[in-house]
Amino acid sequence: MKQWFWMVLLAVAAAAAARWWYTVEMPRRAHEREAAAEAAAIQAERADALYRWRDDDGTLHVSDEPPKNHRYERIRKTPKDGIEVDGTR
């Protein structure tokens, strides 16, 4: 009888641990993976970007970091496939 009680208690504890894992821990880890993937995508986009902007005197600048108090345009370092024609630049 005692052995049966301990086996049932162990099965209940294992079921509770499995339920906790599937309802709490797995969604938390999935959220962490999604956040890390989003941060990596943002970092990769920034690594492939240059920033074109003009200062108060109208001088054109291109830099690796965006300016703090000026409007800027993000430019890709690697070109897109094909030919792009844009007469507004």
Side-chain angles (χ1 to χ4, degrees):
M1 176 97 170
K2 260 186 169 182
Q3 187 179 10
W4 179 80
F5 172 75
W6 288 113
M7 291 186 74
V8 169
L9 184 63
L10 181 63
V12 168
R19 182 169 192 264
W20 170 81
W21 179 263
Y22 285 110
T23 59
V24 176
E25 187 64 18
M26 284 183 69
R28 181 187 65 81
R29 289 186 179 196
H31 178 69
E32 287 177 354
R33 282 192 303 273
E34 289 171 5
E38 185 177 323
I42 290 171
Q43 186 176 10
E45 183 180 326
R46 286 186 181 164
D48 187 39
L50 291 174
Y51 302 93
R52 179 170 43 195
W53 53 282
R54 293 191 181 271
D55 62 13
D56 295 333
D57 297 329
T59 305
L60 179 65
H61 297 273
V62 177
S63 61
D64 291 341
E65 297 291 325
K68 299 216 185 253
N69 298 324
H70 297 282
R71 292 180 52 194
Y72 60 88
E73 178 185 5
R74 182 178 287 157
I75 308 166
R76 291 175 47 131
K77 286 182 184 177
T78 57
K80 295 180 184 178
D81 292 339
I83 298 173
E84 178 182 352
V85 177
D86 186 0
T88 62
R89 293 186 193 185

